[in-house]
Amino acid sequence: MKISPLAPASFPKLHIISGVTFATAAAGIKYAGRTDVMLASIAAGSTVAGVFTRSATSAACVLDCQSKMGGDMSQGAAILVNSGNANAFTGNAGQASVDRICAAVAIGLGVPASAVFTSSTGVIGEVLPDHKITKCIDALAGSLGEDALENAAKAIMTTDTYAKGSTASVEINGKTVKISGIAKGSGMVAPNMATMLVYIFTDAKIAQPDLQALLADLTDKTFNCITVDSDTSTSDALICAATGASSADVSGNPDFAQALGQVMLDLAHQVVKDGEGATKFVAVEVTGAASDGDARLVAMSIANSPLVKTAIAGEDPNWGRIVMAVGKSGAKADRDRLSIWFGPHLVAENGWVAKTYTEDASASYMKQSELVIRTDLGIGGAKTTVWTCDLTHGYIEINADYRS
């Protein structure tokens, strides 16, 4: 598969997080010989928090993880992820698969099944061949290593063209706190949780309710501000584990929140840059809205519009499509107060094309791989930014053949 033209030059060197080890295996869930299972073993006494899809057709693994959040991790915990099969819309068989996997991991690692979290990603509606996973557990448990996070990032990929990782460190009361995370996501990406699979690990010390609240807040500012195709997955999960190995208490610490937010936003941007068939990374900024809700409505209306996204793909500064997207959003808007910019170029103001607008300047700007589209509604003081990508024929090719 051709790597996205927006991909970073290389996978980053991630901080090793004391208290977490990783292993991967090729279970043959969908493709023979492809690494498709990742296991993370998490030290006893760690804190685990999660944010999940709001889909009404959530996968069994999502429902199982949600039921376990806030539970006892005093004996350790684990995360097991498979790609190739979403284990979604599979009836009672879905939960039975989750139960068997959790039981096998519990035995293999010596942790309670109630502290085992699973995620599955891939085709919806096909029963998960969980026997292929459970027979790998002993080998996974015997090959765990603290420096295998890049391999883990590769194991959870589906239509992704590159593995996604991010890392940060911050000084808290004289102690260095490290954060490392991985993500997968390329299509079926739209806000309403975390919009992909994301696993973040830190050696910070933090109470579970505090980590849960922080994760939810930062998700709204990062993963819930991206969209590739307006479709929300059945299987989205963001799980964060804090081992406490640094002994630095970060509860309520703004520096830690900023560092964690930095990692989350980086991963969110990487998902958009790997949008199926994407060639443009686009920040959609909305200002002058009557409320935060209206700002978001307008931003998502622009970011999800097929007409806007295909114009971007064609490098066409078609500001009329932005006007259309504002009008259909349902937010309060006034045609005669509306202003639109493509990057630094004012293209429309006060309900009409800007006097300074030139087609050549705007068309030249649209040739860039990273773009900013800004809309000022001229009504209030609310604002927001969301991130999206263009819509190309490549998206159709990938999804037309997805089950082949």
Side-chain angles (χ1 to χ4, degrees):
M1 183 181 293
K2 185 178 180 181
I3 297 176
S4 168
L6 304 171
S10 62
F11 191 85
K13 178 68 174 177
L14 302 182
H15 292 305
I16 289 175
I17 306 301
S18 182
V20 190
T21 53
F22 306 90
T24 60
I29 294 169
K30 185 177 181 182
Y31 301 109
R34 174 174 170 173
T35 304
D36 54 8
V37 177
M38 177 276 279
L39 176 66
S41 176
I42 304 167
S46 296
T47 296
V48 178
V51 185
F52 302 90
T53 181
R54 296 173 188 166
S55 171
T57 54
S58 296
C61 50
V62 168
L63 299 176
D64 186 69
C65 285
Q66 288 175 315
S67 71
K68 293 174 176 177
M69 281 300 155
D72 182 10
M73 305 293 146
S74 61
Q75 298 178 61
I79 299 171
L80 185 137
V81 187
N82 75 265
S83 61
N85 184 306
N87 192 24
F89 202 65
T90 51
N92 292 334
Q95 185 59 51
S97 289
V98 171
D99 291 342
R100 286 191 289 268
I101 293 169
C102 290
V105 172
I107 293 171
L109 295 183
V111 300
S114 59
V116 178
F117 302 90
T118 69
S119 299
S120 298
T121 180
V123 175
I124 295 170
E126 295 182 2
V127 174
L128 178 66
D130 56 87
H131 64 282
K132 295 183 178 181
I133 299 173
T134 55
K135 73 178 184 180
C136 294
I137 299 301
D138 287 344
L140 287 165
S143 60
L144 289 163
E146 62 182 8
D147 60 349
L149 196 47
E150 180 177 356
N151 291 336
K154 293 176 180 177
I156 65 177
M157 293 166 54
T158 50
T159 59
D160 305 59
T161 69
Y162 62 88
K164 301 166 182 69
S166 186
T167 196
S169 63
V170 60
E171 294 295 317
I172 306 290
N173 298 325
K175 299 174 182 177
T176 300
V177 173
K178 299 174 182 177
I179 306 168
S180 290
I182 59 173
K184 68 81 51 182
S186 186
M188 203 181 288
V189 172
N192 236 345
M193 179 303 308
T195 65
M196 72 210 84
L197 298 184
V198 185
Y199 306 96
I200 299 175
F201 307 93
T202 177
D203 56 9
K205 180 181 178 181
I206 183 171
Q208 199 280 338
D210 293 336
L211 182 59
Q212 184 64 51
L214 178 60
L215 203 64
D217 178 62
L218 292 175
T219 295
D220 279 341
K221 300 171 182 176
T222 57
F223 298 123
N224 277 348
C225 289
I226 64 171
T227 180
V228 167
D229 50 20
S230 82
D231 287 332
T232 298
S233 170
T234 60
S235 309
D236 302 333
L238 162 59
I239 298 176
C240 182
T243 67
S246 70
S247 73
D249 192 333
V250 301
S251 295
N253 188 287
D255 293 332
F256 175 76
Q258 182 179 10
L260 179 58
Q262 172 189 323
V263 168
M264 292 169 67
L265 186 60
D266 183 19
L267 291 172
H269 284 182
Q270 288 189 52
V271 169
V272 175
K273 290 179 179 180
D274 201 18
E276 291 169 343
T279 66
K280 308 281 189 182
F281 176 68
V282 187
V284 178
E285 300 177 354
V286 174
T287 57
S291 66
D292 291 343
D294 273 5
R296 184 175 179 83
L297 280 174
V298 171
M300 282 299 173
S301 182
I302 294 170
N304 282 324
S305 166
L307 288 177
V308 171
K309 290 161 71 71
T310 50
I312 293 168
E315 300 179 342
D316 178 11
N318 192 337
W319 51 267
R321 293 184 178 180
I322 307 299
V323 175
M324 172 278 299
V326 172
K328 75 166 187 175
S329 69
K332 183 177 180 180
D334 185 331
R335 179 198 64 192
D336 296 330
R337 297 184 183 182
L338 194 63
S339 298
I340 301 167
W341 290 258
F342 289 145
H345 306 288
L346 177 65
V347 300
E349 61 180 338
N350 301 323
W352 192 248
V353 62
K355 293 179 181 179
T356 57
Y357 173 76
T358 65
E359 182 78 9
D360 288 347
S362 295
S364 178
Y365 174 74
M366 297 299 287
K367 295 182 182 300
Q368 298 184 26
S369 60
E370 298 198 9
L371 303 169
V372 177
I373 296 175
R374 181 161 74 90
T375 302
D376 190 275
L377 301 180
I379 293 174
K383 61 183 180 180
T384 196
T385 301
V386 303
W387 294 272
T388 190
C389 59
D390 55 346
L391 180 59
T392 70
H393 191 72
Y395 183 89
I396 299 171
E397 292 176 338
I398 291 168
N399 286 286
D401 296 333
Y402 184 66
R403 295 203 305 162
S404 300

